[in-house]
Amino acid sequence: MAAATSINTIDPRDIGTPDDWIPRHSEMVRLTGKHPFNAESPLSLLMDQGFITPVPLHYVRNHGPVPKLHWDIHRLVVDGLVSNPLNLSMNDLENLPYKEFPVTLVCAGNRRKEQNMIKQSIGFNWGPAATSCAIWKGVPLNYILKLAGVNLNDCVNGPRYVCFSGVDKLPNGFYGTSIPLEWSLNDVNDVILAYEMNGERLTPDHGYPLRVIIPGCIGGRMVKWLSKITISNKESDSYYHYHDNRVLPPEFDAERATKEKAWYNPNYIINYLNINSVITSPAHNEYIPLSSFFNNQMYTLKGYAYTGGGHKITRVEVSLDNGKTWLLSKLDQPELVHPAVLKRRINPIPRYWCWSFWSLIIPFHSFIRCEEISVRAWDSTQNTQPRNPTWNVMGMMNNCHFRVKVNTIPQGNEFRLVFEHPTQPGNNPGGWMVKPSPKLITSKPSDVSTINSQIPTFTINEVAKHNNEKDCWIIINKKVYNCTKFLKKHPGGTASILINAGKDATNEFTAIHSTKAIELLKGFYIGNLALLQSKL
Amino acid sequence: MAAATSINTIDPRDIGTPDDWIPRHSEMVRLTGKHPFNAESPLSLLMDQGFITPVPLHYVRNHGPVPKLHWDIHRLVVDGLVSNPLNLSMNDLENLPYKEFPVTLVCAGNRRKEQNMIKQSIGFNWGPAATSCAIWKGVPLNYILKLAGVNLNDCVNGPRYVCFSGVDKLPNGFYGTSIPLEWSLNDVNDVILAYEMNGERLTPDHGYPLRVIIPGCIGGRMVKWLSKITISNKESDSYYHYHDNRVLPPEFDAERATKEKAWYNPNYIINYLNINSVITSPAHNEYIPLSSFFNNQMYTLKGYAYTGGGHKITRVEVSLDNGKTWLLSKLDQPELVHPAVLKRRINPIPRYWCWSFWSLIIPFHSFIRCEEISVRAWDSTQNTQPRNPTWNVMGMMNNCHFRVKVNTIPQGNEFRLVFEHPTQPGNNPGGWMVKPSPKLITSKPSDVSTINSQIPTFTINEVAKHNNEKDCWIIINKKVYNCTKFLKKHPGGTASILINAGKDATNEFTAIHSTKAIELLKGFYIGNLALLQSKL
């Protein structure tokens, strides 16, 4: 289907959630159940849009409910180590000089599901579409900082940081993070406070009315619903600055990280994007009848690639023989000729903020002896992607070679080559990394005997009565849990449990939770679901 | 042995070459025969020096004879697109503001021998010691550029480049290269025109009296014997800017690169260093008697790591199980606490220009089931090294995991674990990547029949007479070649053949030359060496 550039209807899944006022595209794949809204476009649909992603199909990462803000009331405060504190309205900001240019945003968790197939991380199942590209317009951050009387000489006696805070109140306080002042002041880095996306005011999911855009950097630093900028000699003190967007060495699990304070090790912060590339054609489950091989047809392999820090993707290579040899693909870099880029001051631009597309035309018969198609990109730092993933406890920055398996499957009286991606996003089934019997929670509660007559059973109707903040039961894999006492401790916020209160939350739960959460859940077990529903 | 910080004696190998006036350290491993001087320190000796490498042990990359320059006469000209051309003496430069700080230099060919073991590239056999670290002092390039009236606004109508030229005349003109003006002007990039190294004036091998230092960048851009800076709207037009320091995709050989003008593809230039790490302890051929395993001894694995672009090495990991699991090593980053760094303006520094050292203490018994020790580093861009090398025609930027094999070898009436590096630099034998029967030239001239009586034979004494520019014969693998007509076309310069004129040049030749050169040589074949020397 063609993507609408704007959406007016409320998705039924949002009814009953705090976000029931926000129109959303029905095809977005939801990765954390109904709420909060964390979603990516189906990969092929995203690619069909080309260089610029329509707003409704742009990936979204929300930690909690979307704040309801108003252009005329919203203010931006700039304080801390500044000689001239500011308090600006949106109209003030809109009347300042601006920059407008395309930027590819990427969540640090892009392609996390591949890592979760090795071992569940503490993050949810992003597929390879946690990236999108839009035209962003906003005030250069360095302009605002100069208005506030900040300059590079302030760094003489030590580092300075620009701390951003949003208005979204979460279980561990406001979402916030920081970047070095030097980075913010350097005009070539193009950090802006954006109020427009693709030529229109931001939508609520993308930070309306104001968010930070830091090109070349992970999405997690680009604070949405921005209300405060504080200049400090310390990094942001937000819980999320330290407990999110980190890559810990593979030997760390969450417990050890907390015990050894690894979350605070400055070596483990993620700022720049790393090099990445993905195969989008063939798509998952796309197939070619073997009969096609007789007519000399060609196939065009396609995909995207991006890198961080303003570096340029310099080549993308494809292997059809498990990495023994690599074929040079054709690179398409629309950024280089985009009108919004060409009309900017420096031409050709010395920084690259957008994804590239690659393609390679091969004869069908190349697939005959091909077990898998893999892709890797290189950038102007002469670095490339590793072949294998390195698991880390947050499941972040996965950039191993993207490998699509080529399977031969009988169909009617002929054979097909069927392509298989490593995973599918969220709870969607399929993918060669998905083990035949996934370790879902089903295997876990088996240590609680289901035939022990001491264990109470509850009907669905009984459970349904416990559906509020003071009395909240949920059903997961036919077990009943009383989560009332846990509501306020839940890292995803009270709302994300409450929308499932009194209901079966198996899908929502298994989509996101780690072994640790599964263990924790056991403490709230109160009985089993009555098996004979029809009796009641 | 301890390294002398200065050397006064002429190495016998330099006698008879144009460099016979330059004192050099006798332990430096020469990689291109006697001349020109391309040399690295033995790896363990280099590591023994610690953070700062003494000048005589610092790796050297010379394309030809070293120019004989004088402080009092040498001038630096700054011209091109400048409003105020400059012509400065060394004393002028020494009286300008300066920066002084440690920088790790790396040749883009570091670790090339590993690539040459896959397939001979067009470059010579650097081991893993084509890197060193010194304190460099010089005038900030941006200061000089501002004196010349250059500023960032000059880039409004397109890019500007700073082109550097040395005075070293080579077969294809002066050595020169360029970097973007924007890079040169940004003070945080610390580009300097250096006249001191480790507190003393430069030595001839390191560019006396003036060279460029571009931290975070490959050595090939840091022009030595600098005499001219030209601001241009084009990159340097030096032959060496395009035909050196490029990484071409693996499918390109030299012929195809030239035919398709791949040397001029801007995607293939190398500027920044990529991430790299090396194991230095255990050294090659180091051994541990198995009897040591009974006394609970520990072994400390050690090595270096570096990255480019001012990024920070954030972790180094070691695998003892062929990459299945990785152990976090201890990082030692002397740059962070070096006095020359601490007294600079911004503290802690936001850019990292030096190598790091890593170590990991493991019990001896960890080696029992260990086939190989491998190392990989990560940097603040969240990129890491690939497991396998990607061959390229110049054999550059090799940064695959450095893998040391652990062999069990009987010795007397016990066993030893003997460690084996992938290669040894230059023509030095040893290393697990070295195939049992290396493809040396010996196999090549076999298509020229040695028993054909039509082929003339020459005695060593006869060949020795043809020892000058107008009549130059050499012996390679018992074949005689008349290279007179090739002298001026030789990419390494006339001198590098002439020093072997009339002599056996087998070692010098096989150290450097590609299959293509071997083919080319056949055209100069004139006969065989007389086998019975004693008769004459």
Side-chain angles (χ1 to χ4, degrees):
Chain A
M1 67 162 277
T5 53
S6 70
I7 295 282
N8 300 311
T9 52
I10 303 300
D11 189 290
R13 288 169 291 185
D14 286 319
I15 306 293
T17 78
D19 291 349
D20 62 1
W21 54 283
I22 304 171
R24 286 168 175 158
H25 197 292
S26 62
E27 292 203 44
M28 291 294 277
V29 182
R30 296 191 180 212
L31 307 162
T32 52
K34 292 174 187 166
H35 184 82
F37 186 61
N38 290 291
E40 65 184 88
S41 162
L43 186 59
S44 298
L45 182 59
L46 178 68
M47 285 299 102
D48 287 346
Q49 313 308 313
F51 182 55
I52 300 297
T53 313
V55 175
L57 290 175
H58 194 290
Y59 85 88
V60 175
R61 170 78 179 100
N62 288 344
H63 287 77
V66 174
K68 240 180 198 166
L69 303 178
H70 302 279
W71 183 275
D72 294 333
I73 301 171
H74 190 73
R75 312 289 299 187
L76 172 70
V77 169
V78 182
D79 63 12
L81 302 171
V82 299
S83 57
N84 181 34
L86 304 174
N87 186 324
L88 302 165
S89 71
M90 287 308 302
N91 285 341
D92 291 340
L93 288 165
E94 206 178 27
N95 287 320
L96 295 177
Y98 67 85
K99 290 183 179 181
E100 184 172 21
F101 54 100
V103 185
T104 294
L105 266 52
V106 185
C107 179
N110 191 29
R111 299 182 58 191
R112 181 189 287 129
K113 189 165 179 184
E114 294 165 57
Q115 293 220 344
N116 282 347
M117 292 303 97
I118 301 168
K119 187 163 77 172
Q120 179 67 42
S121 71
I122 59 177
F124 59 82
N125 284 329
W126 280 117
T131 176
S132 311
C133 187
I135 311 274
W136 296 90
K137 177 179 174 181
V139 192
L141 175 60
N142 61 355
Y143 188 90
I144 298 283
L145 294 178
K146 281 170 197 163
L147 279 187
V150 178
N151 65 64
L152 201 52
N153 291 331
D154 295 347
C155 296
V156 171
N157 296 315
R160 286 276 190 284
Y161 298 93
V162 183
C163 306
F164 306 110
S165 293
V167 301
D168 46 335
K169 188 89 190 312
L170 300 169
N172 292 291
F174 292 103
Y175 189 83
T177 186
S178 55
I179 63 173
L181 176 61
E182 183 218 321
W183 184 351
S184 315
L185 285 175
N186 191 341
D187 196 57
V188 300
N189 288 334
D190 285 335
V191 183
I192 59 171
L193 307 182
Y195 49 78
E196 275 189 24
M197 181 182 183
N198 290 355
E200 297 185 358
R201 287 191 176 168
L202 305 184
T203 60
D205 275 330
H206 292 291
Y208 176 86
L210 192 67
R211 78 174 295 180
V212 190
I213 292 291
I214 311 168
C217 181
I218 56 161
R221 307 268 163 257
M222 307 192 196
V223 172
K224 300 197 282 193
W225 313 297
L226 180 74
S227 64
K228 195 156 97 160
I229 294 176
T230 305
I231 307 303
S232 171
N233 53 13
K234 293 207 180 76
E235 293 180 52
S236 165
D237 58 7
S238 166
Y239 173 89
Y240 300 95
H241 179 67
Y242 289 101
H243 292 81
D244 201 351
N245 297 308
R246 304 259 155 177
V247 170
L248 270 48
E251 58 195 61
F252 282 86
D253 60 15
E255 282 72 23
R256 183 174 161 197
T258 300
K259 194 175 158 202
E260 298 183 16
K261 296 191 167 50
W263 301 112
Y264 300 92
N265 185 328
N267 281 339
Y268 302 154
I269 196 169
I270 315 166
N271 283 314
Y272 302 109
L273 293 170
N274 57 5
I275 308 162
N276 215 335
S277 62
V278 159
I279 297 168
T280 60
S281 291
H284 181 68
N285 279 345
E286 187 176 325
Y287 63 88
I288 308 176
L290 273 181
S291 54
S292 316
F293 284 60
F294 294 102
N295 54 18
N296 293 325
Q297 265 191 284
M298 305 296 278
Y299 187 92
T300 305
L301 303 166
K302 288 184 198 171
Y304 72 71
Y306 60 76
T307 189
H311 298 299
K312 190 183 180 193
I313 290 291
T314 51
R315 65 187 214 254
V316 177
E317 295 167 334
V318 172
S319 178
L320 303 175
D321 58 4
N322 302 316
K324 282 190 217 60
T325 60
W326 293 88
L327 305 166
L328 188 62
S329 77
K330 183 167 164 283
L331 257 191
D332 178 26
Q333 303 187 290
E335 176 176 20
L336 307 186
V337 292
H338 194 274
V341 171
L342 291 181
K343 80 178 186 190
R344 299 184 71 205
R345 196 174 65 93
I346 296 175
N347 172 20
I349 50 162
R351 297 293 187 286
Y352 305 86
W353 303 135
C354 296
W355 55 12
S356 302
F357 301 109
W358 61 268
S359 61
L360 182 68
I361 300 174
I362 58 170
F364 271 28
H365 66 71
S366 311
F367 288 127
I368 293 179
R369 295 278 169 226
C370 173
E371 290 172 6
E372 69 175 34
I373 313 162
S374 49
V375 67
R376 68 179 184 188
W378 297 74
D379 77 7
S380 47
T381 68
Q382 297 293 340
N383 286 305
T384 189
Q385 303 171 232
R387 174 163 169 90
N388 297 314
T390 295
W391 184 89
N392 61 88
V393 66
M394 297 209 75
M396 285 185 155
M397 302 303 271
N398 181 33
N399 72 334
C400 60
H401 297 174
F402 192 90
R403 294 154 60 193
V404 173
K405 299 282 184 192
V406 186
N407 303 310
T408 311
I409 311 272
Q411 177 75 23
N413 53 8
E414 70 145 16
F415 280 88
R416 288 174 169 181
L417 293 188
V418 182
F419 298 99
E420 188 178 17
H421 280 217
T423 64
Q424 288 293 284
N427 270 354
N428 290 350
W432 60 263
M433 290 189 83
V434 182
K435 287 152 199 148
S437 46
K439 280 204 270 175
L440 289 186
I441 191 173
T442 40
S443 63
K444 276 287 166 187
S446 62
D447 48 320
V448 182
S449 168
T450 52
I451 52 164
N452 184 335
S453 59
Q454 300 298 309
I455 301 284
T457 57
F458 304 99
T459 65
I460 275 206
N461 289 347
E462 277 175 303
V463 174
K465 292 172 193 162
H466 307 268
N467 63 354
N468 58 72
E469 204 160 345
K470 294 188 172 159
D471 182 16
C472 171
W473 293 11
I474 56 170
I475 302 164
I476 295 171
N477 281 318
K478 297 180 185 150
K479 310 282 166 207
V480 180
Y481 301 88
N482 180 347
C483 297
T484 318
K485 287 186 183 162
F486 188 63
L487 279 179
K488 289 195 177 155
K489 295 178 193 161
H490 186 242
T494 301
S496 51
I497 303 186
L498 268 187
I499 56 166
N500 291 301
K503 298 179 195 162
D504 190 315
T506 307
N507 280 341
E508 329 281 309
F509 185 85
T510 54
I512 320 170
H513 291 88
S514 65
T515 324
K516 188 189 155 196
I518 293 169
E519 283 300 312
L520 200 62
L521 184 70
K522 284 187 192 170
F524 304 104
Y525 174 72
I526 52 169
N528 296 334
L529 193 64
L531 295 178
L532 300 171
Q533 309 293 329
S534 53
K535 275 192 184 172
L536 302 157
Chain B
M1 66 164 278
T5 54
S6 71
I7 295 282
N8 300 312
T9 51
I10 303 299
D11 188 289
R13 288 169 290 185
D14 287 318
I15 307 294
T17 78
D19 291 350
D20 63 1
W21 54 284
I22 304 171
R24 285 168 175 159
H25 197 292
S26 62
E27 292 204 45
M28 290 294 277
V29 183
R30 296 191 181 212
L31 307 163
T32 52
K34 292 173 188 166
H35 184 82
F37 186 62
N38 290 292
E40 65 183 87
S41 162
L43 187 59
S44 297
L45 182 59
L46 178 69
M47 284 299 102
D48 287 348
Q49 312 308 314
F51 181 55
I52 300 297
T53 313
V55 176
L57 290 175
H58 194 290
Y59 86 88
V60 176
R61 170 78 179 99
N62 288 344
H63 287 77
V66 174
K68 241 181 198 165
L69 303 177
H70 302 279
W71 183 275
D72 294 333
I73 300 172
H74 189 73
R75 312 289 298 188
L76 173 69
V77 169
V78 182
D79 63 12
L81 302 170
V82 300
S83 57
N84 181 35
L86 304 174
N87 186 325
L88 302 165
S89 71
M90 288 308 302
N91 285 341
D92 292 338
L93 288 165
E94 206 177 28
N95 287 320
L96 295 177
Y98 67 85
K99 290 182 178 182
E100 184 171 21
F101 55 99
V103 185
T104 294
L105 266 50
V106 185
C107 179
N110 192 29
R111 298 182 60 192
R112 182 189 286 131
K113 189 166 178 183
E114 294 165 57
Q115 292 220 344
N116 281 347
M117 292 302 98
I118 301 168
K119 186 163 77 173
Q120 180 66 43
S121 71
I122 59 179
F124 59 83
N125 284 328
W126 281 116
T131 175
S132 310
C133 186
I135 310 275
W136 296 91
K137 177 180 175 180
V139 192
L141 175 60
N142 61 355
Y143 189 89
I144 299 282
L145 295 179
K146 281 171 197 161
L147 280 186
V150 179
N151 65 63
L152 201 51
N153 291 331
D154 295 347
C155 297
V156 172
N157 297 316
R160 286 278 189 282
Y161 297 92
V162 184
C163 306
F164 305 110
S165 293
V167 302
D168 45 336
K169 188 91 192 310
L170 300 168
N172 292 292
F174 292 105
Y175 188 84
T177 186
S178 54
I179 62 172
L181 177 61
E182 183 219 320
W183 183 352
S184 316
L185 286 175
N186 191 343
D187 196 57
V188 300
N189 288 335
D190 284 335
V191 183
I192 60 171
L193 307 181
Y195 49 78
E196 275 189 24
M197 181 181 182
N198 289 354
E200 296 185 0
R201 286 192 177 166
L202 305 184
T203 60
D205 275 331
H206 292 290
Y208 176 85
L210 191 66
R211 78 174 296 180
V212 191
I213 293 291
I214 312 169
C217 181
I218 56 162
R221 307 268 162 256
M222 307 192 196
V223 173
K224 300 197 280 192
W225 313 297
L226 180 73
S227 65
K228 196 157 96 161
I229 294 177
T230 305
I231 306 303
S232 171
N233 52 14
K234 294 207 179 77
E235 293 182 52
S236 165
D237 57 7
S238 167
Y239 173 89
Y240 301 95
H241 180 67
Y242 289 101
H243 292 82
D244 201 351
N245 297 308
R246 304 259 155 177
V247 170
L248 270 47
E251 58 194 61
F252 281 86
D253 60 15
E255 283 72 23
R256 181 173 163 198
T258 301
K259 194 175 160 202
E260 298 183 15
K261 296 190 166 55
W263 301 112
Y264 299 92
N265 184 328
N267 281 340
Y268 302 153
I269 196 169
I270 315 168
N271 284 314
Y272 303 109
L273 294 170
N274 57 5
I275 308 162
N276 215 336
S277 62
V278 159
I279 297 168
T280 60
S281 291
H284 181 69
N285 278 345
E286 187 176 325
Y287 62 88
I288 308 175
L290 274 181
S291 55
S292 316
F293 285 60
F294 294 100
N295 55 17
N296 293 326
Q297 265 191 285
M298 305 297 278
Y299 187 92
T300 305
L301 303 166
K302 288 184 199 170
Y304 73 71
Y306 61 75
T307 189
H311 298 299
K312 190 184 180 193
I313 290 290
T314 51
R315 64 187 214 255
V316 178
E317 295 167 335
V318 172
S319 178
L320 303 175
D321 57 4
N322 302 316
K324 282 190 217 61
T325 59
W326 293 88
L327 305 164
L328 188 63
S329 76
K330 184 168 163 281
L331 257 191
D332 179 25
Q333 303 187 290
E335 176 176 19
L336 308 187
V337 293
H338 194 275
V341 171
L342 292 181
K343 81 177 187 193
R344 299 185 71 206
R345 195 174 64 93
I346 297 175
N347 172 20
I349 50 162
R351 296 293 187 287
Y352 305 86
W353 303 136
C354 296
W355 55 11
S356 302
F357 301 110
W358 62 266
S359 61
L360 182 68
I361 301 174
I362 57 170
F364 270 28
H365 67 71
S366 311
F367 288 128
I368 293 179
R369 296 277 169 227
C370 175
E371 290 171 7
E372 71 174 35
I373 313 161
S374 49
V375 67
R376 68 179 185 189
W378 297 73
D379 77 7
S380 47
T381 68
Q382 296 294 338
N383 286 306
T384 188
Q385 303 170 232
R387 173 162 169 91
N388 297 316
T390 295
W391 185 89
N392 61 88
V393 67
M394 298 209 73
M396 286 185 154
M397 303 302 272
N398 181 32
N399 72 333
C400 61
H401 297 174
F402 192 89
R403 294 154 60 193
V404 173
K405 300 280 182 192
V406 187
N407 303 310
T408 312
I409 311 272
Q411 178 74 22
N413 53 9
E414 69 145 16
F415 281 88
R416 288 175 168 180
L417 293 189
V418 182
F419 299 99
E420 188 178 17
H421 280 216
T423 64
Q424 287 294 283
N427 271 352
N428 290 351
W432 59 264
M433 289 189 84
V434 182
K435 288 152 200 149
S437 46
K439 283 203 269 173
L440 288 187
I441 191 173
T442 40
S443 62
K444 277 286 165 188
S446 62
D447 46 322
V448 182
S449 167
T450 52
I451 51 162
N452 184 337
S453 59
Q454 300 298 309
I455 302 281
T457 56
F458 305 98
T459 66
I460 275 204
N461 290 348
E462 277 175 300
V463 174
K465 292 172 195 164
H466 307 268
N467 63 354
N468 59 71
E469 204 159 345
K470 293 189 173 159
D471 182 16
C472 171
W473 294 11
I474 55 171
I475 302 164
I476 295 170
N477 282 318
K478 297 178 184 149
K479 311 281 165 211
V480 181
Y481 300 88
N482 180 347
C483 299
T484 318
K485 287 187 183 159
F486 187 63
L487 279 178
K488 289 195 177 154
K489 296 178 193 160
H490 186 243
T494 301
S496 51
I497 302 186
L498 268 186
I499 56 167
N500 292 302
K503 297 179 196 162
D504 190 315
T506 307
N507 280 340
E508 328 282 308
F509 186 86
T510 55
I512 321 169
H513 291 90
S514 63
T515 325
K516 188 188 156 197
I518 293 167
E519 282 301 312
L520 201 61
L521 185 69
K522 283 187 194 168
F524 304 104
Y525 175 71
I526 52 167
N528 297 333
L529 193 66
L531 294 177
L532 301 172
Q533 309 292 329
S534 54
K535 276 192 183 170
L536 305 155

